[in-house]
Amino acid sequence: MSALTTHNLLDSDIQQLINEISRKHNIPEKWLTEDIQELASDSLSQWFLLRKIDDALAIGYPYAYLVGKVQFLDLTLRIKEGVFIPRPETEQLVELAIQKIKQYKDVPVVADFCAGSGAIGLAIKKHVPESDVWLVERNPTACLIIKENARRLNIKVNLICESCFYNKAKSLLKHNVTFVISNPPYVLPKELNQVDRSVIQYEPKEAWLAPPSDPLYYYREIISQYGNPQKVLLLFEGSPAIYEDVLRLLNEAGYERTSVIKDFSGKERFILGEPSSTDE
């Protein structure tokens, strides 16, 4: 076979390779087509990029990291290695949050703790533009991605680049926040056999693996430091393995209106603590 050149490489060759990769790795053809056209300008570059994508996917490397972006609801977010890739379950979390936030009469102050790529807070601000949204994230790489996503999408949010348990976040939000949402690390060590190989190998463990010595740490601290059963709504993402413990923490903090909502696969995923009196 002669060496590949732009002249002897046909569009049909590119399409055939796209079809092959799509079938092999369960990536929509539409994504592959759009992404290679965006990342490579000529047929030869697209061919080699597709080969690189094929090889990387074969060892479990996340597609979102390869192309540098991920779709979340109606937002196209930039993403890179070192930042957790938002999941479809979290889209449900945001849809639930938007539904609740839109019921407020006064302007809600929303805090997104463990913000990661900014998916949750940015989506809320886009769909409820009157809300005052704060994103809190301690990972410096994730903070840079949040800034880039906010700039590219022209969504104005407030960003605090430190732990939500440090003084800056507490001084700005503790007495003002009315709606707290968080997707903290919640996967238990005993559940690792249920986690995709690509997540274990390539995504930052501190973003998804619960602290082994205290799996409820983030839930407990957020509830104790920011919860207020008279005025603050708390909404968490979690799992069937921990939701009962999170409900218990909410009850112990004085929340009488608590509930668990299942995700689209029927698993207990979202834990809600609603205040006894709100601006609704």
Side-chain angles (χ1 to χ4, degrees):
M1 180 177 178
S2 61
L4 283 176
T5 69
T6 303
H7 297 292
N8 66 16
L9 190 62
L10 302 176
D11 288 343
S12 59
D13 298 322
I14 298 292
Q15 188 59 52
Q16 183 178 348
L17 186 53
I18 288 174
N19 295 344
E20 176 186 327
I21 294 172
S22 175
R23 288 194 302 271
K24 190 190 302 183
H25 303 293
N26 197 29
I27 303 292
E29 290 182 21
K30 183 175 184 291
W31 292 9
L32 286 163
T33 302
E34 292 177 352
D35 291 338
I36 65 161
Q37 289 175 351
E38 179 181 333
L39 295 169
S41 57
D42 60 78
S43 297
L44 187 61
S45 300
Q46 291 173 6
W47 173 272
F48 283 112
L49 176 58
L50 284 167
R51 283 300 184 194
K52 178 182 176 182
I53 289 173
D54 188 20
D55 291 342
L57 292 174
I59 61 171
Y61 195 75
Y63 182 76
Y65 289 161
L66 285 168
V67 298
K69 65 180 182 179
V70 63
Q71 196 67 29
F72 185 84
L73 293 175
D74 55 351
L75 302 179
T76 300
L77 300 171
R78 293 300 179 193
I79 199 76
K80 67 185 297 185
E81 198 167 328
V83 182
F84 186 68
I85 301 167
R87 292 327 200 249
E89 294 88 349
T90 306
E91 293 180 326
Q92 287 185 270
L93 177 75
V94 171
E95 289 170 345
L96 177 60
I98 291 170
Q99 174 188 336
K100 293 289 182 181
I101 293 169
K102 284 184 174 180
Q103 296 173 10
Y104 280 72
K105 293 179 181 178
D106 295 335
V107 175
V109 179
V110 180
D112 171 14
F113 294 139
C114 308
S117 64
I120 292 173
L122 291 169
I124 288 173
K125 181 65 176 180
K126 178 178 180 181
H127 289 272
V128 194
E130 66 275 17
S131 59
D132 182 12
V133 178
W134 294 74
L135 286 73
V136 185
E137 173 56 56
R138 68 177 184 176
N139 178 343
T141 303
C143 282
L144 292 175
I145 286 293
I146 291 172
K147 291 177 182 177
E148 181 180 354
N149 282 325
R151 177 185 58 78
R152 287 184 60 260
L153 297 167
N154 195 27
I155 298 175
K156 299 188 183 303
V157 292
N158 306 286
L159 175 61
I160 300 174
C161 292
E162 67 170 29
S163 168
C164 54
F165 310 130
Y166 288 179
N167 289 334
K168 184 176 181 181
K170 288 196 290 186
S171 65
L172 289 170
L173 294 172
K174 185 174 179 65
H175 302 293
N176 300 315
V177 69
T178 53
F179 193 107
V180 170
I181 185 168
S182 183
N183 178 19
Y186 60 74
V187 176
L188 303 179
K190 67 180 182 181
E191 298 177 296
L192 284 175
N193 63 340
Q194 303 172 35
V195 179
D196 287 346
R197 175 172 59 109
S198 64
V199 175
I200 294 174
Q201 288 185 319
Y202 299 109
E203 298 196 47
K205 286 185 172 58
E206 66 272 14
W208 56 268
L209 184 62
S213 60
D214 185 5
L216 295 174
Y217 171 75
Y218 286 94
Y219 297 97
R220 181 184 299 106
E221 293 302 311
I222 290 172
I223 291 169
S224 66
Q225 297 190 34
Y226 295 95
N228 181 333
Q230 302 305 313
K231 75 165 193 172
V232 178
L233 189 150
L234 297 169
L235 178 58
F236 296 105
E237 185 170 323
S239 73
I242 64 165
Y243 79 91
E244 290 180 334
D245 290 323
V246 179
L247 284 175
R248 175 178 52 79
L249 292 174
L250 288 168
N251 293 149
E252 291 173 354
Y255 280 86
E256 297 179 355
R257 299 174 59 196
T258 60
S259 57
V260 175
I261 299 163
K262 294 181 179 181
D263 64 18
F264 52 73
S265 63
K267 295 180 179 179
E268 294 85 357
R269 185 69 62 192
F270 313 114
I271 308 108
L272 182 65
E274 298 186 77
S276 53
S277 61
T278 70
D279 296 329
E280 299 178 60

